[in-house]
Amino acid sequence: MIAGLGAGLGAGLGAGLPPEPTQQAVGYPTLFLLVALGALVPVVPTGALVSSATVVAIHQTAPFSLAAVFALAAGAAFAGDVALYWLGQRGVRSKNGSRLLGALRDRAAPDRLDQARAKLRTHGVSVLVLSRLLPAGRIPVMLACLLSGMRLAGFVRGDIPACLAWAATYQLIGVLGGSLFARPWQGVAAAVALALLISAVPGLWRRLRRQHP
């Protein structure tokens, strides 16, 4: 649907568009790859991608477009999470660790990691659902799972509902943006802004707390 984002913008500007099957043939694989990449490299705003793709799907006539976006987003997030966890396990088992494991440690503040380990001991793998919904919460919890020695099968059991809940949440943001505006590009802009705002608020709040203890 990423190609559909450009199509949605083109629709708002009155440009000629490729047919919907062409948009989907390019957009669906692109959405999957970008979300999976964002799960592996946590700098891609995957939530905004899902919300934007949802807006475009709302304005398409093809049936099951919303269901396709949901399935692709959840599947890609799950694939990326599992790949990252598997690579992290290799780093944990390695005598000298790994660059990936070191990068995960660098992205998890010590206090956040301590909180994640405490929640993991209390709630088990169910904490993965909440960690997926909280911006910047996924990596500390994943690292806590790795350091606790959780098997890949246990991580998978918790990550499936986590990815489903994450995809549903950001798709809901897209539905909201798409239903409020008649033009697709307006809905895309609103959905992206809202998704990015949600991602930025926790970091800003932590920064304010450090400045004003």
Side-chain angles (χ1 to χ4, degrees):
M1 299 303 295
I2 304 306
L5 300 186
L9 295 175
L13 298 175
L17 302 177
E20 283 186 14
T22 302
Q23 297 175 29
Q24 294 168 354
V26 176
Y28 286 151
T30 304
L31 175 64
F32 185 92
L33 289 174
L34 287 179
V35 172
L37 177 63
L40 280 168
V41 185
V43 293
V44 179
T46 52
L49 289 173
V50 175
S51 298
S52 302
T54 299
V55 173
V56 176
I58 289 175
H59 292 275
Q60 290 187 334
T61 59
F64 310 118
S65 293
L66 285 174
V69 170
F70 173 79
L72 285 168
F78 175 73
D81 282 357
V82 170
L84 185 61
Y85 195 80
W86 179 77
L87 291 171
Q89 280 187 316
R90 296 188 63 184
V92 169
R93 291 193 295 265
S94 174
K95 183 179 300 185
N96 299 320
S98 70
R99 290 184 180 179
L100 174 63
L101 189 61
L104 291 178
R105 286 181 179 275
D106 291 341
R107 295 188 64 86
D111 58 328
R112 300 289 304 281
L113 179 58
D114 290 340
Q115 293 174 9
R117 298 179 86 162
K119 290 178 180 177
L120 181 63
R121 287 193 296 269
T122 303
H123 303 290
V125 294
S126 62
V127 74
L128 286 168
V129 177
L130 183 61
S131 75
R132 252 284 175 190
L133 297 178
L134 291 177
R138 182 174 67 101
I139 295 302
V141 171
M142 182 180 289
L143 185 57
C145 292
L146 285 168
L147 297 178
S148 71
M150 181 183 294
R151 292 178 177 273
L152 181 60
F155 177 82
V156 165
R157 284 196 298 272
D159 198 53
I160 290 174
C163 290
L164 292 173
W166 172 83
T169 298
Y170 280 98
Q171 187 162 58
L172 181 61
I173 293 173
V175 169
L176 180 63
S179 60
L180 289 177
F181 300 94
R183 295 180 179 271
W185 71 267
Q186 294 173 328
V188 168
V192 169
L194 183 56
L196 293 179
L197 178 63
I198 291 173
S199 299
V201 165
L204 292 175
W205 175 249
R206 288 193 298 271
R207 188 176 302 176
L208 288 174
R209 288 186 63 182
R210 286 196 297 266
Q211 292 176 351
H212 304 284

